[in-house]
Amino acid sequence: MNEIAEVLGKKIKLLRIEKDFTQLDLSFNAGINRTYLGKIERGEVNLTIDKLNNIANALGCKPSDILAAVGM
């Protein structure tokens, strides 16, 4: 697996849990498929900037808050 994708996925999952969102809640609010969100959280897929932005908006944060997990 891609280490960066893994770290980003873990950060997204952590933020999701902190917001008390289920995967279904977050996927709906971000406009992405729940199965795809699961793959993101497990680091199995690389995020596009659009998807990262959608997820950040749904979590009420900035994309840079998520990217900070990998030192970007």
Side-chain angles (χ1 to χ4, degrees):
M1 276 194 271
N2 180 330
E3 184 178 338
I4 292 174
E6 251 184 272
V7 172
L8 288 176
K10 287 179 183 178
K11 179 65 174 183
I12 290 168
K13 183 177 181 177
L14 177 69
L15 291 170
R16 175 178 63 77
I17 290 169
E18 285 177 0
K19 294 282 186 177
D20 200 29
F21 287 169
T22 64
Q23 279 187 343
L24 187 59
D25 295 331
L26 180 56
S27 65
F28 179 78
N29 292 332
I32 60 176
N33 183 282
R34 188 203 53 81
T35 303
Y36 187 69
L37 177 61
K39 289 180 180 183
I40 292 169
E41 289 186 352
R42 291 188 299 276
E44 295 175 358
V45 295
N46 289 315
L47 277 173
T48 64
I49 292 186
D50 287 337
K51 297 281 190 253
L52 176 64
N53 190 56
N54 291 352
I55 290 169
N57 287 334
L59 290 169
C61 66
K62 297 178 281 187
S64 60
D65 296 332
I66 297 170
L67 291 172
V70 291
M72 297 181 145

